[in-house]
Amino acid sequence: MRVELTKFRVKPGKSECVDEWFEYMHNHMDDVLLGLEGEKMYVETIFREKFDNREYLYWYSVQDDKNPEAIEDAYIDQKHIEFMDECIDKTFRPDDMEAEVMMMPEKVREVMK
């Protein structure tokens, strides 16, 4: 099982665009979840932080580490790419955090598989 947490910085002035992206995902959750199933992505959560007049997004995920089968939804994928290009600051290197300890009961792991 692969657990990841990555920090991205939002471009200045793009908070409203981030709001729109989150609203889009909420409104199209069935399609979003279908894509996650194919990727064997058990959990994907996006956190938002505003700190020192900057905005950051944190992507947390729990995914099977064995051969995900991507279910492509060209429209959802395109919207995601557009969002990343428009809103994510490419001058800030995404910060991949190291998981030191993962606490997940075996019965939860089995249900996820």
Side-chain angles (χ1 to χ4, degrees):
M1 193 162 304
R2 190 170 71 220
V3 178
E4 297 176 324
L5 177 62
T6 304
K7 178 180 181 179
F8 296 92
R9 188 166 66 191
V10 175
K11 291 178 183 176
K14 292 298 180 175
S15 289
E16 189 174 309
C17 180
V18 172
D19 292 339
E20 291 169 5
W21 172 243
F22 289 157
E23 182 178 351
Y24 177 85
M25 285 193 296
H26 283 290
N27 292 336
H28 296 87
M29 190 57 67
D30 289 344
D31 294 329
V32 171
L33 294 176
L34 182 63
L36 294 183
E37 281 185 42
E39 296 171 357
K40 297 183 182 175
M41 182 77 68
Y42 303 127
V43 176
E44 185 171 19
T45 306
I46 303 170
F47 294 88
R48 189 178 202 175
E49 174 187 44
K50 294 182 181 179
F51 178 75
D52 246 358
N53 294 319
R54 298 304 306 242
E55 185 170 4
Y56 301 89
L57 299 178
Y58 296 79
W59 253 265
Y60 168 79
S61 64
V62 179
Q63 184 176 23
D64 191 327
D65 55 1
K66 298 179 186 125
N67 303 324
E69 301 168 11
I71 294 177
E72 293 184 29
D73 181 327
Y75 189 72
I76 295 285
D77 292 344
Q78 185 59 38
K79 294 292 281 181
H80 181 82
I81 291 167
E82 289 170 8
F83 165 77
M84 295 297 282
D85 287 344
E86 182 175 351
C87 297
I88 299 302
D89 184 350
K90 305 259 189 315
T91 66
F92 177 84
R93 185 170 174 245
D95 191 4
D96 293 320
M97 295 169 203
E98 288 289 323
E100 296 293 335
V101 178
M102 184 180 85
M103 295 162 278
M104 183 181 298
E106 190 60 36
K107 63 184 176 184
V108 174
R109 287 179 193 232
E110 289 304 314
V111 168
M112 288 179 145
K113 293 179 182 180

